Amino acid sequence: MQFHKGTFLKRYKRFFADVITSGNEPLTIHCPNTGAMTGLLQEGVEALFTLATPQEMKTRKTPGTLEALRVFVEDDQKHYWVGVNTHRANQIAQNWLESEAACREFAITSVRSEVKLQQLYNTLVKKVPELAQGDVLMKTRVDFFVERENQKPLLIEVKSATLYQDKQGFFPDAVSKRATQQLQDMLFMQDLGFDVMILYVSQHQAIEDVKPAEHIDKEYAALVSHAKGKGVIVKTLTFDAGFYGVE
């Protein structure tokens, strides 16, 4: 993956961003982030972006994708790189899951991505009919379904964390009904014999730990607290500078 440097100008209509390339050319690219991007949209900061291949251009409207911004944090009086493409968090998480350390810690034998919870439930009740819970309809999916040696299967939901306030990382940066529903469905599956992990991926160089943003989404924060009490694993992966090729 090749990252190109430029200068960020603005984000608009949620999914579009204007940058100036290193060759001083204006470019409108895709902004793959549905969040508020609080504190990140600073005009004139350094940007990293990727360019679409000719094959990719057959199915997309913009020639590139915004990947990261080097933002200034006034409280720290420093610039930090922040990954803004939420899809990269899943790639970083998969790299970690495939690492020797993670495989050893969680006894991982196989990893599948983007698994629908309804399909997992249907497969389970076919094998063990007495676990059926009546009419069940789940529309959510988990980022990773992890099978483990001599342990329960592990359901992992990845969350990209970029909100940095008072020297603390938070998720989400806007009310997220989707995140709450996902966690509710995962807790339902936990009761049927699965282990569950919320995996916060820090996409902000300054964030070393992530907490639920109670000041933004009280419902989600309360549910995470409840989930931790039920044994759900909550883990943070710190910023992966090597992934973006920055220091």
Side-chain angles (χ1 to χ4, degrees):
M1 186 188 318
Q2 183 176 3
F3 293 104
H4 301 268
K5 288 189 175 182
T7 302
F8 174 76
L9 297 180
K10 63 180 180 179
R11 174 210 197 191
Y12 55 99
K13 296 181 180 178
R14 183 178 289 186
F15 297 113
F16 294 93
D18 286 347
V19 299
I20 299 292
T21 69
S22 58
N24 207 33
E25 296 181 1
L27 194 66
T28 297
I29 56 180
H30 178 52
C31 179
N33 191 314
T34 60
M37 297 180 68
T38 304
L40 306 183
L41 303 176
Q42 301 174 7
E43 182 179 354
V45 298
E46 288 183 75
L48 295 179
F49 61 93
T50 51
L51 293 175
T53 65
Q55 183 65 29
E56 290 170 338
M57 282 304 299
K58 294 178 181 179
T59 57
R60 58 181 292 159
K61 297 179 180 179
T62 59
T65 301
L66 184 64
E67 300 286 353
L69 298 170
R70 189 170 180 262
V71 303
F72 181 73
V73 177
E74 190 169 347
D75 286 351
D76 295 2
Q77 289 294 298
K78 289 182 180 179
H79 284 88
Y80 296 108
W81 280 106
V82 182
V84 298
N85 184 342
T86 56
H87 303 297
R88 301 301 179 206
N90 285 50
Q91 295 178 10
I92 292 168
Q94 180 148 7
N95 290 345
W96 171 72
L97 285 169
E98 293 172 353
S99 71
E100 182 178 344
C103 289
R104 184 172 57 250
E105 181 179 359
F106 294 98
I108 297 171
T109 57
S110 69
V111 177
R112 289 164 51 197
S113 60
E114 295 292 322
V115 177
K116 293 180 179 179
L117 288 177
Q118 187 68 47
Q119 290 181 349
L120 287 179
Y121 173 78
N122 293 344
T123 300
L124 177 65
V125 297
K126 281 183 180 179
K127 293 180 178 179
V128 191
E130 58 267 29
L131 291 178
Q133 303 292 307
D135 293 331
V136 173
L137 179 59
M138 291 180 285
K139 297 182 179 180
T140 58
R141 63 183 69 196
V142 288
D143 290 309
F144 297 103
F145 172 71
V146 178
E147 293 185 288
R148 303 187 291 167
E149 186 175 359
N150 300 320
Q151 296 186 46
K152 297 176 183 178
L154 178 63
L155 307 178
I156 301 178
E157 180 59 28
V158 176
K159 297 301 181 190
S160 176
T162 61
L163 181 59
Y164 181 64
Q165 296 176 333
D166 300 322
K167 300 187 182 296
Q168 174 64 52
F170 293 99
F171 178 89
D173 65 358
V175 173
S176 179
K177 296 293 184 183
R178 179 173 175 270
T180 299
Q181 184 61 59
Q182 283 176 322
L183 185 50
Q184 287 172 340
D185 289 347
M186 291 169 73
L187 291 176
F188 173 80
M189 295 298 287
Q190 183 192 38
D191 290 339
L192 298 179
F194 293 82
D195 281 340
V196 171
M197 177 190 290
I198 304 168
L199 183 60
Y200 295 118
V201 175
S202 168
Q203 288 270 63
H204 194 302
Q205 256 183 322
I207 294 177
E208 296 184 356
D209 178 59
V210 178
K211 294 181 178 180
E214 185 177 7
H215 59 298
I216 294 174
D217 193 336
K218 289 185 178 180
E219 184 179 5
Y220 174 76
L223 189 60
V224 171
S225 179
H226 171 69
K228 290 173 70 174
K230 285 173 57 67
V232 168
I233 304 164
V234 180
K235 184 177 179 64
T236 298
L237 297 184
T238 54
F239 183 80
D240 188 349
F243 182 86
Y244 292 100
V246 298
E247 297 181 355

